Amino acid sequence: MGWNSWNTFGAHIDETLILQTADVLLETGLAEAGYRYVVIDDLWEGKERDAQGRLTADPHKFPSGIAALAERIHAKGLKFGIYSCAGTHTCADQLASYGHEETDARTFADWGVDFLKYDFCNVPHGAHGPTLYRRMGQALRQTGRDILFSACEWGVNKPWLWGRWAGCHMWRTTGDIVDNWDSIKDIGFRRQAGLELYAGPNGWNDPDMMVVGMYGKGNVGAGGCSDSEYLCHFALWCLLASPLMIGCDVRAMNDATLSLLANPGLLRISQDSLGVQARRIAPEKDEWDWSDFPVFAKPLADGTIAVGLFNLSDGDGCNRMGVAWETLGLDTHRACLVSDAISGETIGEFRGSYSERVPKHDARVLLLTPVLG
Ligand code: GAL
């Protein structure tokens, strides 16, 4: 959980922005809620390596240098992340780590980096993608520093199959998200189903940084979403046990954004220690089939089951959506206490199934706790 500069700021980053963002994470309670990694994406880099072959930072954007910035972030009790790329150059054409993996890993460790996002542009022809990630994974481990390794390979070589082995702790499963409903439906609802078996502690599917609260502004702003569409987005990311990287300008976020990102019920589901990624339980047919009414379920460590009812349809009004105990592995006769995960309110005790009406482009997230004894 953390914040990344790319979605809103793209090239327009500097140390003032990063420090202000860190302060806002603390002041708003987002850091306390778990958002601790402050990550600088592409376009932090200087034009040349130094005499020792090390990457340098853009002196105009980061005049104090990256080590000093990391130290200030650490002094606030937060963690610091940076970006590089497996190719010769980054996606924004800056110097990158191909052929410099050990030097760059060492440099990042010396600077106090805690998180490395590693992209996949400008990879030399014929180079084997998974090998490049393995190389950087090994180089990071050799530094002896605990650095979270985030692969941004867009799912090209199915990183869910080899990411963990290559030393990655999370791997992007798709191309870039943009801030609109179609993108959330495509990346979140269409393209994650079927990947749930590959996620778990120390290795997570990453459907990209969040666009919650962007409202169409910034680098990947593309029309924006309504609050209930952002709720669908955030609730799904929590159910999928995805990394939760905030992408909006937290300095300017509204109350709806803050209370969604800090929602204790949804974060409990996201961060549950069992670390299971929700599975789409309805419709059951083919995992990749589209449905306007998907239902996701995520078992939690204490025997509770989190269920997301999502109405993705464009029709008027509400649709009745529900969940049958049968599809969750629960005995049909078992009484379950059903509560609303978002509001924390108890709905009641039910047997066999539960349903309610869900407005279009909206979601309900339920907690089903079996009543035992
Ligand atoms: C893309 C990546 C984005 C962002 C960008 C920077 O490849 O998917 O998340 O990091 O590069 O240039």
Side-chain angles (χ1 to χ4, degrees):
M1 293 171 70
W3 175 90
N4 176 299
S5 60
W6 185 254
N7 281 1
T8 292
F9 296 98
H12 306 289
I13 48 173
D14 58 33
E15 59 189 42
T16 308
L17 167 72
I18 303 305
L19 291 167
Q20 285 174 351
T21 298
D23 286 338
V24 173
L25 292 178
L26 289 163
E27 286 156 14
T28 54
L30 285 173
E32 184 65 33
Y35 297 94
R36 294 226 162 78
Y37 286 93
V38 179
V39 181
I40 305 180
D41 208 282
D42 204 354
L43 290 157
W44 63 269
E45 306 88 346
K47 289 287 164 232
E48 285 171 0
R49 289 179 177 268
D50 71 8
Q52 283 76 46
R54 291 178 301 207
L55 287 168
T56 57
D58 181 324
H60 302 292
K61 295 176 177 174
F62 298 98
S64 315
I66 301 295
L69 179 58
E71 203 177 307
R72 292 182 68 181
I73 299 286
H74 290 153
K76 297 177 194 292
L78 300 174
K79 292 182 179 283
F80 176 74
I82 206 162
Y83 163 101
S84 189
C85 178
T88 56
H89 291 77
T90 72
C91 301
D93 216 24
Q94 306 299 299
L95 293 178
S97 297
Y98 181 82
H100 301 269
E101 290 85 355
E102 287 203 11
T103 307
D104 291 355
R106 186 71 261 159
T107 306
F108 295 146
D110 290 346
W111 285 348
V113 164
D114 306 298
F115 178 113
L116 175 65
K117 173 174 170 182
Y118 205 51
D119 218 334
F120 197 52
C121 281
N122 301 306
V123 166
H125 188 65
H128 181 239
T131 300
L132 300 184
Y133 282 88
R134 184 176 52 184
R135 238 188 241 170
M136 185 47 100
Q138 176 62 24
L140 290 171
R141 276 196 304 277
Q142 282 171 201
T143 69
R145 187 174 171 85
D146 184 11
I147 298 179
L148 196 159
F149 187 27
S150 162
C152 179
E153 185 265 11
W154 322 306
V156 174
N157 294 294
K158 301 194 166 105
W160 47 89
L161 297 178
W162 49 264
R164 194 183 293 268
W165 170 81
C168 309
H169 303 106
M170 53 194 261
W171 42 83
R172 281 271 298 278
T173 53
T174 67
D176 291 11
I177 198 168
V178 295
D179 179 21
N180 64 39
W181 181 236
D182 281 345
S183 179
I184 288 166
K185 282 201 296 186
D186 181 45
I187 286 185
F189 288 94
R190 198 187 299 269
R191 310 204 25 211
Q192 306 307 317
L195 299 183
E196 59 273 359
L197 289 179
Y198 304 104
N202 262 324
W204 309 97
N205 292 313
D206 174 11
D208 208 353
M209 300 157 317
M210 299 185 290
V211 295
V212 172
M214 289 182 62
Y215 299 102
K217 292 198 208 83
N219 191 36
V220 305
C225 296
S226 68
D227 285 338
S228 71
E229 291 169 344
Y230 285 136
L231 167 66
C232 292
H233 167 25
F234 187 66
L236 181 67
W237 264 235
C238 289
L239 282 157
L240 295 178
S242 304
L244 299 178
M245 300 302 286
I246 299 171
C248 69
D249 181 356
V250 290
R251 300 169 312 170
M253 74 187 150
N254 64 15
D255 291 347
T257 300
L258 176 57
S259 59
L260 180 59
L261 291 171
N263 183 273
L266 293 176
L267 290 179
R268 170 193 168 200
I269 293 169
S270 154
Q271 301 298 305
D272 180 72
S273 64
L274 204 55
V276 172
Q277 173 172 331
R279 183 181 177 80
R280 202 185 75 188
I281 54 161
E284 277 176 299
K285 255 195 355 190
D286 170 354
E287 276 117 347
W288 297 98
D289 250 14
W290 181 246
S291 163
D292 273 345
F293 305 100
V295 179
F296 285 80
K298 180 184 197 299
L300 306 182
D302 68 356
T304 298
I305 302 172
V307 174
L309 310 175
F310 294 93
N311 185 345
L312 310 180
S313 76
D314 296 327
D316 290 334
C318 293
N319 294 81
R320 184 158 283 283
M321 295 188 65
V323 58
W325 278 204
E326 189 69 23
T327 58
L328 301 172
L330 277 168
D331 187 321
T332 313
H333 305 293
R334 165 70 54 208
C336 280
L337 198 62
V338 178
S339 61
D340 179 329
I342 299 168
S343 70
E345 278 160 26
T346 301
I347 299 171
E349 220 176 274
F350 295 83
R351 281 172 209 271
S353 67
Y354 174 80
S355 71
E356 66 173 279
R357 293 171 76 75
V358 184
K360 67 171 179 176
H361 296 205
D362 206 343
R364 291 284 177 265
V365 183
L366 309 167
L367 291 172
L368 271 55
T369 308
V371 180
L372 302 177

